[in-house]
Amino acid sequence: MIIPEKEKTNVLFSSLFISHYPELYKQLSDIMWNYHKGYGAVCHTKDYWVRDFMPVQVDEDVFVKFTFNPDYLQDKKRYITDVDKVIKHCPFAQEYKIVNLPIILDGGNLVFCKGYDGLDETADVVMTEKVLVENPSLCKEQIEMLFRYAFQEPNLIIVWLPWDKEDTFGHTDGIVRYIGYNTFGKPRVLVNLELYDEEIAEQMYDVLNLYFEVIELKLSEYNDLSWAYINCLQTQDFIIIPGIGNAITDAEALKQYRELFPEYKDNIFMVQMREFIEEHGGALNCLTWTIC
């Protein structure tokens, strides 16, 4: 099965992030504290981006672990986290069943969506074709088969987006945000394609439009950081959107989230992160491991 962000209740950060950015973490924890849900840290990480290497939850105590060995870190291997070591020193993780998915992958390249076909829920995962490049010994069909087995979803649909080679990481969590599904059962997604060249943006839109009701993030202007609005922290109880220090577009993004996620009511917030995002190239979805 798959568990979208809006069904999760607990948030964990890298202890490195907490120690290096205590003021930013305090702003985030001040919000999370209001919900009395679990949040905290995992230790023995080599960088801040727990989303990219920690296993993905598929059931209450079942997690899928992939191989985190990205091409962009091959000359910086000191930043490749030993996931087994992190799990070993994570007390509550000892009770988990770990299913191994033998694929090189980043968690930031996994966006899960649910729909409804009138009888059952449907399941989709959005990835870029960078996965194919990093796993040359496997064809697309083999990768899809392995995903369906690992996630216990025989009808799981892989929505493949073209990979813009100028985007080193090739992640989808700055492109697509799952909203929910409409009255017809079709999944709805919020997207930000304005940062891509017209040709590849059109290709992405055409693919997404086959599977989803696609809603464009509407901003009066776009810049190199606009993707961060999609890269928010979402749980069952709240949404925290990264602000990029542009008062106009920050307000526009916050307004649109409140319109698209009315079930969250007053539980949508914004935390300013411009300097952090500029320095490190990631935002809140990247920084967090969310579980139930």
Side-chain angles (χ1 to χ4, degrees), residues 13-32 39 48 271-272 276 280 287:
F13 296 81
S14 163
S15 58
L16 283 178
F17 168 71
I18 293 174
S19 63
H20 293 173
Y21 290 90
E23 292 183 6
L24 177 53
Y25 179 69
K26 184 180 185 304
Q27 292 180 60
L28 297 168
S29 59
D30 283 349
I31 294 171
M32 294 185 290
Y39 66 93
Y48 306 140
V271 170
Q272 290 300 320
F276 179 89
H280 297 291
L287 282 169

mmCIF file of all heavy atoms in Angstrom, residues 13-32 39 48 271-272 276 280 287:
data_model
loop_
_atom_site.group_PDB
_atom_site.id
_atom_site.type_symbol
_atom_site.label_atom_id
_atom_site.label_comp_id
_atom_site.label_asym_id
_atom_site.label_seq_id
_atom_site.Cartn_x
_atom_site.Cartn_y
_atom_site.Cartn_z
ATOM 1 N N PHE A 13 13.644 14.839 11.854
ATOM 2 C CA PHE A 13 14.687 15.579 11.168
ATOM 3 C C PHE A 13 16.029 14.897 11.437
ATOM 4 O O PHE A 13 16.163 14.100 12.358
ATOM 5 C CB PHE A 13 14.765 17.020 11.674
ATOM 6 C CG PHE A 13 13.548 17.851 11.420
ATOM 7 C CD1 PHE A 13 12.438 17.772 12.254
ATOM 8 C CD2 PHE A 13 13.524 18.737 10.357
ATOM 9 C CE1 PHE A 13 11.323 18.555 12.023
ATOM 10 C CE2 PHE A 13 12.409 19.530 10.123
ATOM 11 C CZ PHE A 13 11.301 19.435 10.951
ATOM 12 N N SER A 14 17.021 15.269 10.670
ATOM 13 C CA SER A 14 18.382 14.863 10.985
ATOM 14 C C SER A 14 18.862 15.655 12.205
ATOM 15 O O SER A 14 18.619 16.863 12.303
ATOM 16 C CB SER A 14 19.309 15.144 9.796
ATOM 17 O OG SER A 14 20.657 15.136 10.203
ATOM 18 N N SER A 15 19.558 14.978 13.115
ATOM 19 C CA SER A 15 20.114 15.673 14.276
ATOM 20 C C SER A 15 21.119 16.735 13.835
ATOM 21 O O SER A 15 21.329 17.732 14.541
ATOM 22 C CB SER A 15 20.771 14.680 15.233
ATOM 23 O OG SER A 15 21.795 13.946 14.571
ATOM 24 N N LEU A 16 21.737 16.539 12.668
ATOM 25 C CA LEU A 16 22.662 17.548 12.152
ATOM 26 C C LEU A 16 21.950 18.864 11.875
ATOM 27 O O LEU A 16 22.443 19.943 12.190
ATOM 28 C CB LEU A 16 23.323 17.049 10.865
ATOM 29 C CG LEU A 16 24.441 16.029 10.957
ATOM 30 C CD1 LEU A 16 24.906 15.653 9.556
ATOM 31 C CD2 LEU A 16 25.597 16.570 11.778
ATOM 32 N N PHE A 17 20.780 18.762 11.244
ATOM 33 C CA PHE A 17 20.011 19.967 10.953
ATOM 34 C C PHE A 17 19.633 20.679 12.239
ATOM 35 O O PHE A 17 19.754 21.913 12.355
ATOM 36 C CB PHE A 17 18.754 19.611 10.162
ATOM 37 C CG PHE A 17 17.755 20.728 10.060
ATOM 38 C CD1 PHE A 17 18.007 21.840 9.279
ATOM 39 C CD2 PHE A 17 16.556 20.680 10.782
ATOM 40 C CE1 PHE A 17 17.093 22.891 9.205
ATOM 41 C CE2 PHE A 17 15.642 21.715 10.706
ATOM 42 C CZ PHE A 17 15.908 22.824 9.922
ATOM 43 N N ILE A 18 19.190 19.931 13.228
ATOM 44 C CA ILE A 18 18.764 20.538 14.489
ATOM 45 C C ILE A 18 19.922 21.258 15.172
ATOM 46 O O ILE A 18 19.757 22.360 15.715
ATOM 47 C CB ILE A 18 18.159 19.469 15.413
ATOM 48 C CG1 ILE A 18 16.856 18.941 14.807
ATOM 49 C CG2 ILE A 18 17.898 20.029 16.812
ATOM 50 C CD1 ILE A 18 16.248 17.784 15.557
ATOM 51 N N SER A 19 21.104 20.659 15.142
ATOM 52 C CA SER A 19 22.254 21.279 15.809
ATOM 53 C C SER A 19 22.829 22.436 15.013
ATOM 54 O O SER A 19 23.317 23.409 15.597
ATOM 55 C CB SER A 19 23.336 20.233 16.081
ATOM 56 O OG SER A 19 23.831 19.682 14.869
ATOM 57 N N HIS A 20 22.760 22.362 13.689
ATOM 58 C CA HIS A 20 23.345 23.420 12.856
ATOM 59 C C HIS A 20 22.403 24.608 12.653
ATOM 60 O O HIS A 20 22.857 25.727 12.410
ATOM 61 C CB HIS A 20 23.744 22.864 11.497
ATOM 62 C CG HIS A 20 24.875 21.887 11.557
ATOM 63 N ND1 HIS A 20 25.294 21.165 10.468
ATOM 64 C CD2 HIS A 20 25.681 21.505 12.586
ATOM 65 C CE1 HIS A 20 26.307 20.391 10.819
ATOM 66 N NE2 HIS A 20 26.552 20.584 12.104
ATOM 67 N N TYR A 21 21.090 24.350 12.730
ATOM 68 C CA TYR A 21 20.108 25.411 12.490
ATOM 69 C C TYR A 21 19.074 25.439 13.613
ATOM 70 O O TYR A 21 17.878 25.234 13.387
ATOM 71 C CB TYR A 21 19.426 25.212 11.131
ATOM 72 C CG TYR A 21 20.358 25.473 9.974
ATOM 73 C CD1 TYR A 21 21.123 24.443 9.438
ATOM 74 C CD2 TYR A 21 20.505 26.753 9.451
ATOM 75 C CE1 TYR A 21 22.012 24.678 8.395
ATOM 76 C CE2 TYR A 21 21.391 27.000 8.407
ATOM 77 C CZ TYR A 21 22.130 25.958 7.895
ATOM 78 O OH TYR A 21 23.007 26.202 6.876
ATOM 79 N N PRO A 22 19.513 25.706 14.840
ATOM 80 C CA PRO A 22 18.591 25.651 15.984
ATOM 81 C C PRO A 22 17.457 26.671 15.908
ATOM 82 O O PRO A 22 16.342 26.382 16.353
ATOM 83 C CB PRO A 22 19.505 25.919 17.191
ATOM 84 C CG PRO A 22 20.705 26.633 16.623
ATOM 85 C CD PRO A 22 20.894 26.053 15.261
ATOM 86 N N GLU A 23 17.725 27.854 15.360
ATOM 87 C CA GLU A 23 16.668 28.866 15.301
ATOM 88 C C GLU A 23 15.573 28.460 14.318
ATOM 89 O O GLU A 23 14.378 28.608 14.613
ATOM 90 C CB GLU A 23 17.266 30.219 14.913
ATOM 91 C CG GLU A 23 18.182 30.812 15.985
ATOM 92 C CD GLU A 23 18.702 32.177 15.597
ATOM 93 O OE1 GLU A 23 18.262 32.721 14.551
ATOM 94 O OE2 GLU A 23 19.550 32.715 16.334
ATOM 95 N N LEU A 24 15.972 27.943 13.152
ATOM 96 C CA LEU A 24 14.980 27.502 12.177
ATOM 97 C C LEU A 24 14.207 26.303 12.731
ATOM 98 O O LEU A 24 12.975 26.229 12.590
ATOM 99 C CB LEU A 24 15.672 27.132 10.858
ATOM 100 C CG LEU A 24 14.790 26.586 9.734
ATOM 101 C CD1 LEU A 24 13.618 27.519 9.441
ATOM 102 C CD2 LEU A 24 15.624 26.360 8.470
ATOM 103 N N TYR A 25 14.920 25.388 13.353
ATOM 104 C CA TYR A 25 14.244 24.225 13.933
ATOM 105 C C TYR A 25 13.259 24.656 15.022
ATOM 106 O O TYR A 25 12.159 24.090 15.137
ATOM 107 C CB TYR A 25 15.247 23.233 14.507
ATOM 108 C CG TYR A 25 14.570 22.034 15.139
ATOM 109 C CD1 TYR A 25 13.902 21.093 14.362
ATOM 110 C CD2 TYR A 25 14.569 21.875 16.535
ATOM 111 C CE1 TYR A 25 13.249 20.007 14.946
ATOM 112 C CE2 TYR A 25 13.922 20.794 17.117
ATOM 113 C CZ TYR A 25 13.272 19.868 16.317
ATOM 114 O OH TYR A 25 12.622 18.799 16.894
ATOM 115 N N LYS A 26 13.617 25.657 15.815
ATOM 116 C CA LYS A 26 12.706 26.127 16.864
ATOM 117 C C LYS A 26 11.425 26.689 16.265
ATOM 118 O O LYS A 26 10.319 26.456 16.790
ATOM 119 C CB LYS A 26 13.383 27.189 17.728
ATOM 120 C CG LYS A 26 12.501 27.646 18.903
ATOM 121 C CD LYS A 26 13.174 28.685 19.752
ATOM 122 C CE LYS A 26 12.309 29.013 20.982
ATOM 123 N NZ LYS A 26 10.937 29.440 20.617
ATOM 124 N N GLN A 27 11.546 27.428 15.162
ATOM 125 C CA GLN A 27 10.339 27.944 14.513
ATOM 126 C C GLN A 27 9.425 26.805 14.066
ATOM 127 O O GLN A 27 8.204 26.878 14.201
ATOM 128 C CB GLN A 27 10.724 28.802 13.301
ATOM 129 C CG GLN A 27 11.427 30.101 13.639
ATOM 130 C CD GLN A 27 11.780 30.878 12.393
ATOM 131 O OE1 GLN A 27 10.905 31.245 11.613
ATOM 132 N NE2 GLN A 27 13.060 31.119 12.178
ATOM 133 N N LEU A 28 10.035 25.753 13.539
ATOM 134 C CA LEU A 28 9.255 24.605 13.087
ATOM 135 C C LEU A 28 8.656 23.847 14.266
ATOM 136 O O LEU A 28 7.473 23.489 14.256
ATOM 137 C CB LEU A 28 10.134 23.676 12.247
ATOM 138 C CG LEU A 28 10.686 24.271 10.949
ATOM 139 C CD1 LEU A 28 11.771 23.376 10.370
ATOM 140 C CD2 LEU A 28 9.569 24.470 9.926
ATOM 141 N N SER A 29 9.471 23.611 15.288
ATOM 142 C CA SER A 29 8.986 22.835 16.432
ATOM 143 C C SER A 29 7.931 23.598 17.219
ATOM 144 O O SER A 29 7.033 22.994 17.821
ATOM 145 C CB SER A 29 10.145 22.422 17.337
ATOM 146 O OG SER A 29 10.843 23.540 17.831
ATOM 147 N N ASP A 30 7.995 24.930 17.228
ATOM 148 C CA ASP A 30 6.967 25.717 17.900
ATOM 149 C C ASP A 30 5.597 25.479 17.270
ATOM 150 O O ASP A 30 4.567 25.495 17.961
ATOM 151 C CB ASP A 30 7.304 27.209 17.845
ATOM 152 C CG ASP A 30 8.383 27.609 18.839
ATOM 153 O OD1 ASP A 30 8.717 26.774 19.706
ATOM 154 O OD2 ASP A 30 8.896 28.738 18.726
ATOM 155 N N ILE A 31 5.590 25.270 15.962
ATOM 156 C CA ILE A 31 4.332 24.945 15.273
ATOM 157 C C ILE A 31 3.920 23.516 15.592
ATOM 158 O O ILE A 31 2.776 23.239 15.976
ATOM 159 C CB ILE A 31 4.478 25.139 13.753
ATOM 160 C CG1 ILE A 31 4.707 26.612 13.417
ATOM 161 C CG2 ILE A 31 3.233 24.612 13.027
ATOM 162 C CD1 ILE A 31 5.069 26.879 11.969
ATOM 163 N N MET A 32 4.851 22.580 15.445
ATOM 164 C CA MET A 32 4.521 21.166 15.624
ATOM 165 C C MET A 32 4.082 20.866 17.052
ATOM 166 O O MET A 32 3.223 20.004 17.288
ATOM 167 C CB MET A 32 5.721 20.306 15.230
ATOM 168 C CG MET A 32 6.041 20.384 13.748
ATOM 169 S SD MET A 32 7.364 19.260 13.221
ATOM 170 C CE MET A 32 8.790 20.031 13.998
ATOM 171 N N TYR A 39 7.491 14.301 17.024
ATOM 172 C CA TYR A 39 8.512 14.872 16.162
ATOM 173 C C TYR A 39 9.834 14.807 16.916
ATOM 174 O O TYR A 39 9.875 14.732 18.140
ATOM 175 C CB TYR A 39 8.182 16.305 15.739
ATOM 176 C CG TYR A 39 8.180 17.318 16.854
ATOM 177 C CD1 TYR A 39 9.322 18.061 17.146
ATOM 178 C CD2 TYR A 39 7.033 17.542 17.610
ATOM 179 C CE1 TYR A 39 9.314 18.997 18.163
ATOM 180 C CE2 TYR A 39 7.018 18.476 18.638
ATOM 181 C CZ TYR A 39 8.162 19.200 18.911
ATOM 182 O OH TYR A 39 8.172 20.117 19.923
ATOM 183 N N TYR A 48 21.576 16.581 5.859
ATOM 184 C CA TYR A 48 20.286 16.987 6.407
ATOM 185 C C TYR A 48 19.091 16.270 5.776
ATOM 186 O O TYR A 48 18.000 16.295 6.329
ATOM 187 C CB TYR A 48 20.064 18.497 6.184
ATOM 188 C CG TYR A 48 21.160 19.388 6.689
ATOM 189 C CD1 TYR A 48 21.573 20.502 5.949
ATOM 190 C CD2 TYR A 48 21.790 19.150 7.910
ATOM 191 C CE1 TYR A 48 22.567 21.343 6.408
ATOM 192 C CE2 TYR A 48 22.798 19.984 8.378
ATOM 193 C CZ TYR A 48 23.178 21.080 7.622
ATOM 194 O OH TYR A 48 24.174 21.915 8.080
ATOM 195 N N VAL A 271 7.046 29.370 7.094
ATOM 196 C CA VAL A 271 8.278 29.675 7.816
ATOM 197 C C VAL A 271 9.314 30.138 6.801
ATOM 198 O O VAL A 271 9.532 29.480 5.778
ATOM 199 C CB VAL A 271 8.795 28.442 8.583
ATOM 200 C CG1 VAL A 271 10.198 28.696 9.138
ATOM 201 C CG2 VAL A 271 7.841 28.082 9.716
ATOM 202 N N GLN A 272 9.922 31.284 7.059
ATOM 203 C CA GLN A 272 10.887 31.846 6.116
ATOM 204 C C GLN A 272 12.179 31.018 6.096
ATOM 205 O O GLN A 272 12.771 30.751 7.138
ATOM 206 C CB GLN A 272 11.184 33.296 6.464
ATOM 207 C CG GLN A 272 10.013 34.231 6.202
ATOM 208 C CD GLN A 272 9.576 34.233 4.742
ATOM 209 O OE1 GLN A 272 10.404 34.199 3.839
ATOM 210 N NE2 GLN A 272 8.274 34.273 4.515
ATOM 211 N N PHE A 276 18.529 29.484 3.898
ATOM 212 C CA PHE A 276 18.811 28.055 3.972
ATOM 213 C C PHE A 276 18.650 27.396 2.598
ATOM 214 O O PHE A 276 19.493 26.608 2.167
ATOM 215 C CB PHE A 276 17.884 27.385 4.987
ATOM 216 C CG PHE A 276 18.098 25.899 5.106
ATOM 217 C CD1 PHE A 276 19.022 25.403 6.007
ATOM 218 C CD2 PHE A 276 17.395 25.010 4.304
ATOM 219 C CE1 PHE A 276 19.239 24.028 6.102
ATOM 220 C CE2 PHE A 276 17.604 23.648 4.395
ATOM 221 C CZ PHE A 276 18.535 23.153 5.301
ATOM 222 N N HIS A 280 21.630 25.539 0.501
ATOM 223 C CA HIS A 280 21.653 24.076 0.455
ATOM 224 C C HIS A 280 20.828 23.455 -0.671
ATOM 225 O O HIS A 280 21.004 22.271 -0.967
ATOM 226 C CB HIS A 280 21.183 23.512 1.791
ATOM 227 C CG HIS A 280 22.068 23.873 2.941
ATOM 228 N ND1 HIS A 280 23.340 23.378 3.093
ATOM 229 C CD2 HIS A 280 21.855 24.717 3.994
ATOM 230 C CE1 HIS A 280 23.881 23.871 4.189
ATOM 231 N NE2 HIS A 280 23.011 24.698 4.744
ATOM 232 N N LEU A 287 13.864 17.871 4.083
ATOM 233 C CA LEU A 287 14.448 17.831 5.413
ATOM 234 C C LEU A 287 13.776 16.817 6.353
ATOM 235 O O LEU A 287 14.313 16.533 7.419
ATOM 236 C CB LEU A 287 14.341 19.209 6.072
ATOM 237 C CG LEU A 287 15.331 20.276 5.633
ATOM 238 C CD1 LEU A 287 14.905 21.639 6.184
ATOM 239 C CD2 LEU A 287 16.736 19.927 6.115
#
